Amino acid sequence: MADNKPIQPPTGTRDLYPIEAARRRFITEAWRRASINHGFEEVDGPTFESTELYTKKSGEGIVSEIFGVFSGKDEQGVKALGEKLARGEDAPAPYALRPEFTPTLARMYAARAASLPKPTKWFTAGPFFRAERPQRGRLREFLQWNCDVIGLALPEKPTAEDVARATAQADAEVIAACVGLLRELGLTENDFKVRINDRRAMGAVFEKGGVVPEAYPALFAHLDRIGKLAPEVWRTEASKLGVPDTLQLWFLNTMQLADNRDQSQFAGEMTGTLAALFSVWSESLAPIRKQLEAAGIPSGVIVEDVKIVRGLAYYTGMVFEVIVDGERAVAGGGRYDNLIELFGGPSTPAVGFGMGDVVLSLVLQDKGLMPSDAELMQIAGQSPDVFVISNGTPEADAALPSVLADLRRGTRESRGRDSLHARRTSKTTKNVGKLLQEAERSGAHFAAIVESSGEVTLKNLRTREQDQARTPIASLKAEVLKRLGRMDRGS
RNA sequence: GCGAUCGUAGCUCAGUUGGUUAGAGCACCGGGUUGUGAUCCCGGGGGUCACGGGUUCGAGUCCCGCCGAUCGCCCCA
């Protein structure tokens, strides 16, 4: 007897039925549109990479959350790995499903750096994989949209000021693309905040505050938890990292400041060393704020936040997260000025961000911004242009297949723009009323009732207006194209 | 890796202190005497009650195990 137990989709993956596929398409189309309108060009890379690409320059913990991939042709390799593992040695798979895009991007840029414009603006959107425990807003397979600006537009002999301005401009450019998308989807400035920080600024504060450089990475990680831990607990840990009391106090004060509307007043309460540290920090964030405001991002949306440090080791400057209340970060990114060089390219500053589809979908649902099912099918291009119905006579039944085929046929000259989405029923009933009902439910724009081998009656299902006169089958397609307003090109 | 909650039809869920053959709505298919549709009426298919044990005369219901899902912790590229 056969084992009929259904095989379920792997943990953290999704089966997308038509309406869910349409929902995903709605998001990816918005991503494409926003990035193209902001001047980014689409690129893409492999969905699996050599594991080295991620282990080389990333931290240790990352490997454990990578999905390993083996070649089915490499039996010996697999066996060798098995033996290593049996001995308790580290044995990563030779390939990894990509957990992020930035390393691929860095490699791609490095390989052609000499011939690429400065700046180069690339975007990509596709599937990524992380072997984490799924929970709200987090799955093991997800889509991620990335926008990156690589290189800076600089004069022949740039001054430090030129570099700083170009840097802030590029930083603002990626954030503007990200915010542009959110606004296009209907989120307003009341719905989200762009929380920004700067790793170099933090470094300067650490230095002035008396922390040894060796402790910086651990301190960045610890700062990530400042809002989650009780202040006393956080301070105890900070002390262990060699953070002086004054600096601890500054972190706690400044953290609250990020959530306090009246920043100037709060800042005014800091005196002496605290105030000095604060100006080091805030002054280095001033240029990026200025550029963001110039890019049309409302000042109320921008929040300087000492908590935002990002886990990734490769960030070197500005870092940011876009937070929608009640959800985890919907997007995050930052500046990584050393990474291109690390992949064998010329020293090139770069900045970028990623946005996942999982949290974004939750946000759109929370805010009621996800279009209705019917709208989605239309947006995804799945509503038929014409639903062809036979009037039930043998003559019409016989003519129907060729009517359908003709409507569907596209020509190379028009690049398929003259091809129509045409459907017919698969039901056996000849009840025209029922078939019209089916046509309407399919979301079709027109119904074409085949009357004979030579004529149809057209009905606009949106307006419910039916033609008095019949249309010859020979001119049906042209007539429908005309009524759909698609005759403006070619011919 | 840890914790909490939950698994009955494709979906949303009923199902009494354990008691005949497990139900509804939606969806799907067909019909309402062969041509005009959102309503309505009639009919139909579809469930080894996640899976495996146990208690019992009898288990969807109680107990144990297991798998899965959701939410949270850890982590977050």
Side-chain angles (χ1 to χ4, degrees), chain A residues 389-394 397 425 427-435:
Chain A
I389 292 169
S390 163
N391 74 347
T393 61
D397 283 351
T425 188
K427 295 186 202 300
T428 54
T429 183
K430 293 189 188 303
N431 183 324
V432 173
K434 286 216 160 172
L435 295 173

Side-chain angles (χ1 to χ4, degrees), chain A residues 200-212 216 244 246-247 250 272-281:
Chain A
R200 264 173 308 195
M202 294 301 284
V205 170
F206 293 174
E207 193 190 342
K208 264 203 163 28
V211 181
V212 294
Y216 288 9
T246 318
L247 190 56
W250 182 81
T273 315
L274 292 187
L277 288 172
F278 184 77
S279 25
V280 168
W281 180 66

